[in-house]
């Protein structure tokens, strides 16, 4: 596999703080290529051999803004079974409903744009229903839960210029954890 040539913005870059704009259809070839590159990059980052070869950090989600494109889409690659990857392409997402139950990643969230040690938890909805568009502009509904729900919320934050670290209170990074379930 050849690693796509993607430059992931660091959190110091102001573009990560901007609100991305709705995507119009049909997608440009440039956007289609970018989506394929993002999917391949994430997949390769999850394959140990490729990760070591290219010195990558493992990632499961990427938003267009992290590549400098201020458009409302993101991709997720989830290794459902050993060597079997599921791709999500999520364009113009809109939350339809969320669970009351909140969860958080016990070891803390990570982001390919945040290149430093962080401490603290981010409250996320355990389940969520999202309406979005696919590569052809077709609208679909998706129900996500647990880890995928967290990733979707993390990526949707990116589309509004929000980073996961913004949710952490530096004075009390594990605030309210007793009210949430750790995953
Ligand atoms: Ni991120």
């Amino acid at each position: 596999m050849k690693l796509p040539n993607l430059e992931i913005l660091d959190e110091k870059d102001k573009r990560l703080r901007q609100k991305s704009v709705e995507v119009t259809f049909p997608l440009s070839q440039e956007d289609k290529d970018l989506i394929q590159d993002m999917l391949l990059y994430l997949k390769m980052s999850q394959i140990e051999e490729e990760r070591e070869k290219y010195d990558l950090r493992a990632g499961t989600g990427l938003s267009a803004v992290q590549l400098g494109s201020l458009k409302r889409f993101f991709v997720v690659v989830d290794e459902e079974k050993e060597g079997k990857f599921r791709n999500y392409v999520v364009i113009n997402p809109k939350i339809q409903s969320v669970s009351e139950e909140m969860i958080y990643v016990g070891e803390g969230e990570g982001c390919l744009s945040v290149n430093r040690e962080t401490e603290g938890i981010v409250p996320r909805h355990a389940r969520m229903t999202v309406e979005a568009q696919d590569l052809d502009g077709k609208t679909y509904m998706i129900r996500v839960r647990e880890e995928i729900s967290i990733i979707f919320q993390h990526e949707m934050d990116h589309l509004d210029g929000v980073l996961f670290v913004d949710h952490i209170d530096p004075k009390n990074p594990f605030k309210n954890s007793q009210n949430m379930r750790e995953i």
Side-chain angles (χ1 to χ4, degrees):
M1 276 178 260
K2 189 173 174 294
L3 186 70
N5 183 24
L6 291 181
E7 198 201 321
I8 300 174
L9 302 184
D10 180 82
E11 64 176 320
K12 291 179 203 76
D13 195 297
K14 298 273 191 291
R15 283 172 286 181
L16 285 172
R17 293 313 193 166
Q18 287 180 257
K19 203 171 150 76
S20 294
V21 299
E22 290 274 312
V23 176
T24 53
F25 290 89
L27 291 181
S28 65
Q29 192 57 47
E30 193 186 351
D31 284 340
K32 287 183 191 167
D33 291 345
L34 179 60
I35 288 169
Q36 294 313 316
D37 283 353
M38 289 161 74
L39 289 168
L40 180 57
Y41 186 97
L42 290 177
K43 180 180 171 182
M44 289 177 72
S45 82
Q46 292 177 38
I47 300 171
E48 194 179 356
E49 193 188 332
E50 304 289 347
R51 184 166 65 243
E52 282 170 9
K53 182 174 167 192
Y54 293 104
D55 191 24
L56 305 175
R57 281 177 64 201
T60 47
L62 263 179
S63 292
V65 60
Q66 293 179 274
L67 294 319
S69 172
L70 286 156
K71 295 184 181 174
R72 297 188 78 80
F73 70 82
F74 65 85
V75 305
V76 174
V77 176
D78 177 39
E79 188 171 15
E80 291 187 316
K81 274 187 252 158
E82 177 85 32
K84 188 162 181 333
F85 297 88
R86 177 168 175 189
N87 291 342
Y88 299 82
V89 175
V90 186
I91 303 173
N92 297 330
K94 293 180 182 67
I95 294 174
Q96 296 301 302
S97 64
V98 295
S99 67
E100 257 179 60
E101 188 192 6
M102 303 299 285
I103 55 175
Y104 65 93
V105 183
E107 60 198 21
E109 285 186 30
C111 178
L112 293 176
S113 293
V114 178
N115 297 295
R116 60 185 164 98
E117 289 295 318
T118 58
E119 189 188 58
I121 59 163
V122 181
R124 303 289 193 188
H125 300 284
R127 295 165 297 284
M128 184 167 72
T129 302
V130 174
E131 184 190 279
Q133 284 168 283
D134 68 10
L135 288 165
D136 300 314
K138 194 167 169 293
T139 298
Y140 66 93
M141 296 277 258
I142 184 167
R143 179 103 175 125
V144 287
R145 45 178 60 81
E146 303 296 312
E147 192 192 353
I148 302 295
S149 178
I150 289 177
I151 299 168
F152 268 52
Q153 288 163 78
H154 176 117
E155 299 307 327
M156 287 176 77
D157 272 351
H158 273 302
L159 307 187
D160 292 322
V162 174
L163 298 177
F164 79 93
V165 288
D166 302 345
H167 295 291
I168 301 171
D169 178 352
K171 291 200 192 72
N172 189 3
F174 297 92
K175 190 163 75 181
N176 297 329
S177 61
Q178 70 282 0
N179 304 329
M180 293 171 262
R181 177 163 55 84
E182 176 180 346
I183 71 161

